[in-house]
Amino acid sequence: MEQRRGKNSISSKRYNRGLVLRLIASGEGTSRIELSRTTKLAKMTVTNIVSEFLDSGLIEESEEELTEACGRNPRKLQLSDRAPKAAGLLIFRDRIEAVLCTLDLKILDSRHIYFQELTREKLLEDAFQVLDQILEKEQNILGIGAAVIGPVDTREGILLNPPRFYGIENVRLLEALKTRYPYPVYLDHDNNSAALAEKLYGAGRDCQDFLFLGISNGIGSGVISRGEVYHSSRGLSPEIGHVSIDCAGPLCSCGSRGCLELYANTHVVLEKLRSATGLTCGFEEFFHLKDQEKAEEILCQMVRDISAALVSAMNLFNPELIVLGHDCMDWSETYVRQLEQLINEQKMAQGQERIPVRKAYFGKNAQLVGAAANVADQAFRGNLLF
């Protein structure tokens, strides 16, 4: 479960510093008084940590402001421009991207390469190229985070056998990045990374259990359980796109039948829409067409298909929130609310509170900033800097 209380012992110094840094970075602790109240640490302990951060340039204190009602406000603590930055690498089915972020996940720079043909060697070459472009302009780097499509072995950092990914398998990405760069490197599933970003700063920051659903030319998921990113003991993540919604359906590239991806990924739905209407609109435009019954029926069916898989996942994980990412950002609110209605009608635990569905705070960049979030999270756990 997410921890917000400090530990008053010598062995916990790193933990306490990571916790205080996270609260300052997230805006949950902008004064010494707030930090002491939230962490339950002694005021002197908080004062010493804050002084250490100020001296090292990790944080800064804003100028005092005057208000007519209250006089002087407390001086506000915030991340400093001199604080180290996090680099991120995203491997998606159609492209590779690198990003440079502050510890509160503000994007400072990014680079990308769209794939044409791809081999294992070209994948690593492209990864190094975009990261090199990011890193040549910034020397104060805390670490590199990688967010990659699944399935991925997060323990060993191996990109396993993603469907429809040029036949590339078993890429030891973590090892390759650690060999090339003199920084700590952390790797996770792209949707787990997005879920982490949303947990730290986004739609899920006040939730202990939520499911992130990313839909593009594939469908993936990330799960936050008891405040932590969920992995199996073998380092694997949930793959909601390969939950079958029709056991007699068409054969999927994963070997199963009737997988959700075959019915509701963006590419499949867009082809259905264009074929049925004769229009060449983009995906987002179809959500705002007037008097197009054929398009509406296809979009409603997409929502029903997604709800079928989501309800199964909800009955397994019992989340308190669903966060929609990537191409779901193109959905009109009508279909977001429709999905929310369906899953709440069908979920097993009907006596519990209604499960809301929200779009990702980081929008279509959730997976990208999620890569950098893998580094920020390690700092907030006290595993870096301290």
Side-chain angles (χ1 to χ4, degrees), residues 243-272:
V243 170
S244 176
I245 60 173
D246 181 3
C247 62
L251 184 66
C252 180
S253 57
C254 73
S256 186
R257 290 189 175 273
C259 291
L260 177 63
E261 278 197 1
L262 299 176
Y263 299 88
N265 80 51
T266 302
H267 176 76
V268 168
V269 174
L270 189 55
E271 287 298 309
K272 291 178 182 177

Side-chain angles (χ1 to χ4, degrees), residues 65-127:
E65 298 179 359
L66 291 174
T67 64
E68 294 182 2
C70 304
R72 292 185 178 274
N73 289 330
R75 294 171 69 94
K76 182 179 180 181
L77 301 171
Q78 58 193 23
L79 284 177
S80 167
D81 291 340
R82 294 185 293 151
K85 309 303 186 289
L89 179 74
L90 172 65
I91 295 180
F92 218 57
R93 278 192 174 81
D94 62 346
R95 67 189 182 280
I96 193 164
E97 294 187 72
V99 68
L100 181 70
C101 289
T102 58
L103 292 181
D104 54 356
L105 302 187
K106 292 182 174 64
I107 295 177
L108 301 175
D109 196 6
S110 64
R111 294 288 188 274
H112 66 264
I113 296 173
Y114 279 87
F115 301 136
Q116 300 297 327
E117 297 295 327
L118 196 64
T119 63
R120 180 198 305 260
E121 293 72 22
K122 184 66 165 58
L123 177 65
L124 293 176
E125 179 184 317
D126 287 349

Side-chain angles (χ1 to χ4, degrees), residues 250-310:
L251 184 66
C252 180
S253 57
C254 73
S256 186
R257 290 189 175 273
C259 291
L260 177 63
E261 278 197 1
L262 299 176
Y263 299 88
N265 80 51
T266 302
H267 176 76
V268 168
V269 174
L270 189 55
E271 287 298 309
K272 291 178 182 177
L273 289 166
R274 289 174 173 173
S275 176
T277 65
L279 301 173
T280 57
C281 298
F283 188 59
E284 182 178 11
E285 294 174 276
F286 275 109
F287 285 94
H288 302 283
L289 291 177
K290 303 295 184 182
D291 302 320
Q292 270 288 345
E293 292 183 6
K294 292 180 179 179
E296 183 178 354
E297 175 52 34
I298 290 170
L299 293 174
C300 287
Q301 184 60 53
M302 174 195 71
V303 171
R304 288 192 292 270
D305 290 338
I306 292 170
S307 72
L310 268 181

Side-chain angles (χ1 to χ4, degrees), residues 115-186:
F115 301 136
Q116 300 297 327
E117 297 295 327
L118 196 64
T119 63
R120 180 198 305 260
E121 293 72 22
K122 184 66 165 58
L123 177 65
L124 293 176
E125 179 184 317
D126 287 349
F128 297 153
Q129 180 178 330
V130 291
L131 275 174
D132 287 350
Q133 290 172 351
I134 288 291
L135 297 173
E136 69 183 4
K137 295 183 179 180
E138 177 60 59
Q139 303 302 313
N140 190 14
I141 297 294
L142 188 58
I144 297 172
V148 301
I149 56 175
V152 57
D153 179 346
T154 59
R155 293 182 310 173
E156 301 296 329
I158 302 174
L159 180 66
L160 294 172
N161 56 325
R164 308 183 308 282
F165 193 59
Y166 304 92
I168 295 173
E169 297 181 351
N170 299 318
V171 181
R172 293 187 169 274
L173 183 63
L174 187 64
E175 179 182 308
L177 293 174
K178 284 185 172 181
T179 298
R180 184 176 179 88
Y181 298 105
Y183 306 112
V185 183
Y186 306 95

